[in-house]
Amino acid sequence: MKIGILSRNANLYSTRRLIEACEARGHEYKIIDALRCYMNINSTQPSIHLMGEDLVGFDAVIPRIGASVTFYGCAVLRQFEMLGIYTVNDSVAISRSRDKLRSLQLLSRKNIGMPITGFASKPGDIKDLLSMVGGTPVVIKLLEGTQGIGVVLAETRKAAESVIEAFMGLKANIMVQEYIKEAGGADIRCFVIGDKVIAAMKRQALPGEFRSNLHRGGSASLVRITPEERKTAVAAAKAMGLHVAGVDLLRSERGPLVMEVNSSPGLEGIETATGKDVASLVIEHIEKIVSSPRTRTRVKSQ
Ligand code: ADP
Ligand code: MG
């Protein structure tokens, strides 16, 4: 096969591992920097060019689109879709997953467990917003935050009000969420491919910190997940329309709660913590879909 890897940097761990997996399984590959692509959009022959080269002949494209380039990255991906090329996650599902509000709305529609969550832009009544999610302590999040930045634990009503007012002053959209204390500063990252969780790790925050992000000093370890957690992770990826996804769960007294669903989950943490060759499993998944026109049509039409 000829596989395009939409990535801005061939030296990133995840990109390198996908390259290695392509090579090991005998596939041709090309690293495509979406921002450097330019496209011809027309009804007879749409095309994508990169440095003067017409990007043709691909069997599949693996999108690894960073949060900062979602808009243009998805446009390039859409162009590949218009050419009839199989994309591991399609552009609609990726843009959907990048919008935290839309994601949680979709998950709630499918009855998937999540922390009680309020959304607001300029709440006229902060007290009511807080009581809507069950009162303090609450976690307040900037809608566009990543890597734990913009996620604040407010233990008292006064603290919560001040943080909400401060974010309002910045004209930011925010999420106010029930604090899942019993998660103990840990979350579970489930790596989903197709309809299976193929690897899972537990991320534990540093002592005195509630955010388990590895970028915030959290540590990752192998974890055995329950059948209910497995089912929830697969259902969450499916609700988002993602075929490869990182689903983050909090372990709560009322079962697994989905915090977020990532459409370009990193490979470094999960491969290191579990010792699994996740990159090869992604390539294997592509081989299966591309070689079976029937699954391919079904997957594309979801
Ligand atoms: P980001 O997109 O920046 O990673 P998250 O929503 O994943 O933001 O939050 C970062 C971390 O904070 C999570 O990994 C988790 O450890 C912790 N956290 C987030 N929301 C809650 C919550 N409602 N209850 C308990 N811990 C939470
Ligand atoms: Mg997170």
Side-chain angles (χ1 to χ4, degrees):
M1 287 193 297
K2 186 171 168 189
I3 299 175
I5 304 173
L6 268 193
S7 165
R8 300 219 55 214
N9 185 349
N11 295 319
L12 295 174
Y13 179 94
S14 302
T15 312
R16 271 196 288 119
R17 290 286 303 122
L18 289 167
I19 293 173
E20 283 167 15
C22 282
E23 284 172 345
R25 301 182 70 84
H27 300 302
E28 235 185 285
Y29 67 87
K30 184 173 181 70
I31 305 299
I32 301 167
D33 178 351
L35 287 192
R36 289 178 176 268
C37 289
Y38 41 99
M39 301 168 281
N40 183 349
I41 304 171
N42 63 60
S43 50
T44 49
Q45 202 169 29
S47 62
I48 310 169
H49 284 206
L50 175 69
M51 315 286 281
E53 180 192 342
D54 192 1
L55 296 180
V56 289
F58 289 90
D59 298 289
V61 168
I62 306 175
R64 302 274 330 159
I65 297 175
S68 58
V69 295
T70 302
F71 178 76
Y72 198 75
C74 280
V76 173
L77 192 61
R78 203 153 47 234
Q79 189 83 355
F80 279 110
E81 289 160 12
M82 284 165 63
L83 294 171
I85 294 164
Y86 169 68
T87 54
V88 169
N89 279 329
D90 60 45
S91 54
V92 174
I94 295 175
S95 14
R96 204 185 266 147
S97 75
R98 289 286 154 85
D99 180 337
K100 288 191 187 188
L101 169 53
R102 190 169 169 198
S103 302
L104 289 184
Q105 284 173 326
L106 272 168
L107 297 176
S108 86
R109 210 171 67 190
K110 298 283 178 192
N111 289 320
I112 294 167
M114 66 180 73
I116 300 170
T117 306
F119 281 95
S121 175
K122 288 195 212 77
D125 190 338
I126 295 178
K127 278 196 189 72
D128 186 43
L129 173 65
L130 288 172
S131 68
M132 206 170 88
V133 299
T136 51
V138 289
V139 177
I140 302 164
K141 302 183 187 183
L142 280 177
L143 226 50
E144 43 285 312
T146 60
Q147 305 181 343
I149 297 167
V151 178
V152 182
L153 172 61
E155 312 218 35
T156 64
R157 191 166 56 84
K158 270 273 149 275
E161 284 177 7
S162 312
V163 173
I164 293 172
E165 277 164 10
F167 281 162
M168 269 167 65
L170 297 171
K171 300 196 188 330
N173 293 323
I174 52 164
M175 239 159 93
V176 181
Q177 202 163 63
E178 159 196 22
Y179 174 50
I180 308 300
K181 189 165 192 287
E182 63 271 26
D187 74 348
I188 310 285
R189 158 62 61 96
C190 298
F191 202 106
V192 179
I193 299 183
D195 54 5
K196 285 199 181 71
V197 176
I198 55 94
M201 65 172 166
K202 179 175 174 173
R203 293 176 299 199
Q204 180 69 53
L206 286 169
E209 169 64 75
F210 79 104
R211 296 167 301 174
S212 60
N213 302 67
L214 302 182
H215 287 96
R216 304 267 73 73
S219 55
S221 60
L222 182 66
V223 71
R224 183 181 284 274
I225 58 170
T226 66
E228 193 190 4
E229 287 165 346
R230 202 169 279 280
K231 211 175 105 202
T232 304
V234 170
K238 185 156 185 258
M240 305 297 297
L242 293 169
H243 306 122
V244 170
V247 180
D248 295 341
L249 304 174
L250 289 171
R251 284 183 161 163
S252 82
E253 280 158 1
R254 56 177 198 277
L257 305 177
V258 176
M259 232 178 354
E260 57 181 352
V261 185
N262 196 312
S263 56
S264 291
L267 300 185
E268 186 165 15
I270 196 91
E271 287 196 337
T272 311
T274 65
K276 289 206 174 140
D277 183 352
V278 177
S280 289
L281 294 173
V282 172
I283 305 297
E284 235 175 79
H285 171 76
I286 298 174
E287 288 166 3
K288 259 186 243 147
I289 303 235
V290 170
S291 65
S292 153
R294 205 177 55 85
T295 33
R296 182 173 163 169
T297 323
R298 201 186 70 223
V299 169
K300 288 295 288 177
S301 61
Q302 269 177 0

